[in-house]
Amino acid sequence: MIECKEICNLLSDLIDDELELNLEKEIRRHIYKCEKCSSSLNTFTKTLDLIHSIKSQPIPLKVHKKLWKVIYIETRHLKVKYGQKRRSLGKHR
Amino acid sequence: MIEILKNLSDEDLVKKVREGNDKAFEILVKRYEAKIYALILRFIDNQSTASDILQETFLKVYRSLNNFRGDAKFSTWLYKIAVNFCLMYKRKKGKTVSLDSPVNSDSGEEIKRELPDWSITPEVSTENIELRKKLEGAISMLSEEYKSVIILHDIQGLSNKEVSRILNISIPAVKSRVHRARLFLREKLSEYFKQTYD
């Protein structure tokens, strides 16, 4: 018989679909009958839904421009310093 | 030419850069700049510093491309460089919260480890700004070792294997940290629901 505490430790594996089928079935049967574990799975799932809903914001234009300026300078600088091909670049730096 | 490059895989673009094709590097930067900036911003929480680390990351990538052996995906290598810069910066700054510490509310009271029923609460979504803020606050409270797995695994959507390579820890360690961090975040959100709907 699987205990409530063990189920708490396996919630991530259950949600991430990383349990063996027989163990998953046993856990799901327990959760179906156990109000505490059912509530625990419910709140855990909602927390994960919220975490997963965090989307990357677009990069701010100012940050983007600064990055590209630096990259432009760097790529031109290295070409002037080491020539068009950068195959041996690692040996120089 | 650019359109053809855009369809290439990361690894093929890396080959092109090594042959001297800087347009290929630009495609790689375009492909990852927003994701890497978002990642860095989660660690650093300061736009100006995050912008500096973003530049450092791509400069390091460009300068070190010849050291990229290709036994991991390019994206894994890129993430690893960005995370290392973030962790180095954070180490200099200090301040983390261990998950072994008791969880305290904003008023300083220790949170009871009990499970509220959220079935009566509104739909969890990003539109719920207050809840989102609570989550962001809880993520920022995590110690670096837990924060990094939650960011990489649950927010950036990387696999256990990728996270394991980026952080140089075993896959079981990734899974364990992800689980503990999720439990911590649930507990912090539980407090919010209890306060709001009791």
Side-chain angles (χ1 to χ4, degrees), chain B residues 59-114:
Chain B
L59 286 183
K60 168 100 176 171
V61 166
Y62 186 72
R63 290 169 183 169
S64 311
L65 267 180
N66 286 338
N67 301 330
F68 172 62
R69 297 191 303 275
D71 47 4
K73 290 201 291 186
F74 168 78
S75 57
T76 305
W77 184 63
L78 170 61
Y79 274 104
K80 188 169 186 158
I81 291 171
V83 168
N84 282 343
F85 272 123
C86 291
L87 294 180
M88 271 194 298
Y89 177 82
K90 296 291 275 187
R91 266 183 220 121
K92 282 181 194 167
K93 286 272 176 188
K95 192 183 185 273
T96 55
V97 175
S98 166
L99 285 193
D100 296 323
S101 310
V103 180
N104 294 319
S105 70
D106 296 337
S107 58
E109 291 172 5
E110 192 170 328
I111 297 168
K112 287 179 188 166
R113 294 176 183 261
E114 59 187 56

Side-chain angles (χ1 to χ4, degrees), chain B residues 14-182:
Chain B
V14 168
K15 276 185 202 161
K16 294 276 179 199
V17 182
R18 283 173 163 168
E19 290 164 9
N21 187 335
D22 285 334
K23 288 287 172 202
F25 186 68
E26 291 178 15
I27 304 287
L28 283 170
V29 177
K30 272 187 191 161
R31 210 171 265 180
Y32 286 103
E33 62 176 342
K35 279 183 183 173
I36 297 296
Y37 178 70
L39 170 84
I40 296 168
L41 200 56
R42 294 227 156 262
F43 276 99
I44 303 303
D45 205 23
N46 175 296
Q47 283 204 6
S48 172
T49 309
S51 173
D52 290 344
I53 293 178
L54 181 72
Q55 292 162 33
E56 287 295 319
T57 297
F58 280 106
L59 286 183
K60 168 100 176 171
V61 166
Y62 186 72
R63 290 169 183 169
S64 311
L65 267 180
N66 286 338
N67 301 330
F68 172 62
R69 297 191 303 275
D71 47 4
K73 290 201 291 186
F74 168 78
S75 57
T76 305
W77 184 63
L78 170 61
Y79 274 104
K80 188 169 186 158
I81 291 171
V83 168
N84 282 343
F85 272 123
C86 291
L87 294 180
M88 271 194 298
Y89 177 82
K90 296 291 275 187
R91 266 183 220 121
K92 282 181 194 167
K93 286 272 176 188
K95 192 183 185 273
T96 55
V97 175
S98 166
L99 285 193
D100 296 323
S101 310
V103 180
N104 294 319
S105 70
D106 296 337
S107 58
E109 291 172 5
E110 192 170 328
I111 297 168
K112 287 179 188 166
R113 294 176 183 261
E114 59 187 56
L115 299 166
D117 182 3
W118 291 3
S119 57
I120 53 161
T121 60
E123 194 65 30
V124 174
S125 74
T126 43
E127 273 69 50
N128 191 331
I129 295 167
E130 211 176 333
L131 183 56
R132 171 73 181 266
K133 273 187 187 169
K134 196 76 187 171
L135 175 66
E136 299 279 0
I139 291 172
S140 71
M141 286 178 72
L142 290 167
S143 62
E144 295 312 324
E145 60 181 337
Y146 291 100
K147 190 196 283 185
S148 50
V149 292
I150 278 291
I151 293 171
L152 293 167
H153 188 275
D154 281 354
I155 299 177
Q156 296 270 342
L158 303 184
S159 68
N160 288 327
K161 190 177 171 187
E162 285 172 308
V163 178
S164 149
R165 293 190 94 137
I166 291 166
L167 298 176
N168 272 338
I169 56 175
S170 67
I171 290 176
V174 173
K175 289 169 74 172
S176 163
R177 287 184 197 183
V178 165
H179 184 62
R180 293 196 73 200
R182 286 170 175 178

